[in-house]
Amino acid sequence: MCARQPEIESSRIPPDRSLDLLFPKRSCASSLRRVLPSKNWRPENVARLVVWLSASWLASGAMAIGLAASWRQDGRQFPPLALLAITGIGFHGACLLLVHAFLRAHRTSWSRGFGFQSQTGSAIRLALASTLLVAPVLYGIHEGAAHLLERWGWPPAPQESVELLLKSGWGGRLVIAFFAVVMAPVAEETLFRGIFFTVLRDAGWPRTSVWLVSLVFGLIHGNAAALLPLSLFGGFLAWLYVRTGNLLAPITAHLVFNLLPFVLLALGVDFGI
């Protein structure tokens, strides 16, 4: 007989109000159906993933700094796109590989583990429509936060990826787009919403899971003006995951959100978050 496999999606948690703060009106009605089942991710596997991913991220950062310093000694500047590629592979690339190993340790697939087969069409449509409404608000909050910080004597530095995007030709922008629009949404959503959010929620901390993971999500981008809008965006992405039970919803929203600066740039608007 085959060994009994863990039931990743069979159990469901009781309805909670962890996301009611995002959309307080009518949040108990059908607009916020809780369809995301308990995942039963094992904490030891989550800890192992965090350790290995942190090690990869630090190693790639050290490699990038070392290469840049070596080139500087020779009077040359290490290509910024190469630095982006090294750190992108060190974090997002390693994340995807480690998540794959994480899923294998739980004897499940990407589709079953993250609900990719659950009402895919409606999940993507909801993500597209809601992101196009939410993104301008978050962009406005970002601009307001940057203005306030500048008035308080702490002008925020532009995000390195956005600055590089504005300075690069379209060949370089395609490289940036691959990391920002393809790799980042998939890697970050599987990690933050697919694993971190659900493991904390299933442990009995529904509200903490939303806001703690969202805050960390905002912090890792390393920009003071973007901290608040990206943290709110993280809460919105968690709502999408709970609302649809399909991680393709927050992945799609994240992809669209990261794609918009490229669209604006193509239209001649130098704007990014």
Side-chain angles (χ1 to χ4, degrees):
M1 295 178 64
C2 295
R4 183 177 181 269
Q5 296 184 354
E7 295 182 358
I8 299 298
E9 296 185 327
S10 60
S11 57
R12 292 181 179 270
I13 63 170
D16 63 69
R17 298 180 182 271
S18 61
L19 302 177
D20 289 355
L21 293 177
L22 292 175
F23 300 92
K25 293 183 179 180
R26 300 176 62 186
S27 58
C28 299
S30 60
S31 61
L32 280 180
R33 287 178 294 138
R34 271 62 169 177
V35 298
L36 181 64
S38 175
K39 296 298 180 179
N40 300 323
W41 301 134
R42 294 196 292 273
E44 63 273 18
N45 289 338
V46 177
R48 189 177 299 114
L49 184 153
V50 171
V51 169
W52 281 107
L53 182 58
S54 299
S56 176
W57 194 12
L58 291 173
S60 65
M63 179 185 296
I65 292 172
L67 288 171
S70 176
W71 278 54
R72 198 159 42 243
Q73 288 179 351
D74 296 335
R76 299 178 296 167
Q77 182 183 12
F78 194 73
L81 284 175
L83 291 176
L84 175 67
I86 291 171
T87 55
I89 293 171
F91 183 78
H92 295 117
C95 178
L96 293 174
L97 291 175
L98 290 168
V99 168
H100 182 71
F102 176 88
L103 293 171
R104 290 193 63 182
H106 287 87
R107 298 183 182 180
T108 191
S109 63
W110 286 77
S111 180
R112 290 185 64 243
F114 298 127
F116 289 163
Q117 80 288 355
S118 175
Q119 299 180 339
T120 300
S122 58
I124 291 176
R125 287 192 295 272
L126 175 63
L128 288 172
S130 56
T131 303
L132 291 176
L133 294 174
V134 168
V137 177
L138 296 178
Y139 289 155
I141 293 174
H142 174 264
E143 289 299 300
H147 180 69
L148 284 176
L149 289 171
E150 190 168 0
R151 287 191 60 183
W152 294 339
W154 188 19
Q159 293 188 67
E160 292 182 6
S161 59
V162 174
E163 192 173 21
L164 184 59
L165 174 65
L166 296 175
K167 293 180 178 179
S168 299
W170 282 105
R173 289 169 184 172
L174 289 176
V175 175
I176 299 170
F178 172 73
F179 286 101
V181 180
V182 179
M183 288 191 69
V186 178
E188 292 176 14
E189 291 314 304
T190 54
L191 184 67
F192 285 97
R193 258 59 63 179
I195 296 176
F196 292 165
F197 163 63
T198 50
V199 77
L200 288 174
R201 187 203 64 161
D202 294 347
W205 298 311
R207 293 194 178 188
T208 300
S209 66
V210 175
W211 298 116
L212 177 60
V213 172
S214 298
L215 179 61
V216 174
F217 174 73
L219 285 170
I220 67 163
H221 289 82
N223 184 271
L227 175 60
L228 177 59
L230 289 181
S231 297
L232 292 173
F233 185 53
F236 166 70
L237 293 170
W239 174 81
L240 278 176
Y241 192 27
V242 171
R243 175 66 176 80
T244 64
N246 189 331
L247 197 67
L248 284 177
I251 288 174
T252 300
H254 198 153
L255 183 154
V256 171
F257 190 77
N258 286 5
L259 178 64
L260 285 176
F262 292 90
V263 175
L264 293 172
L265 196 59
L267 296 175
V269 181
D270 289 347
F271 181 78
I273 186 171

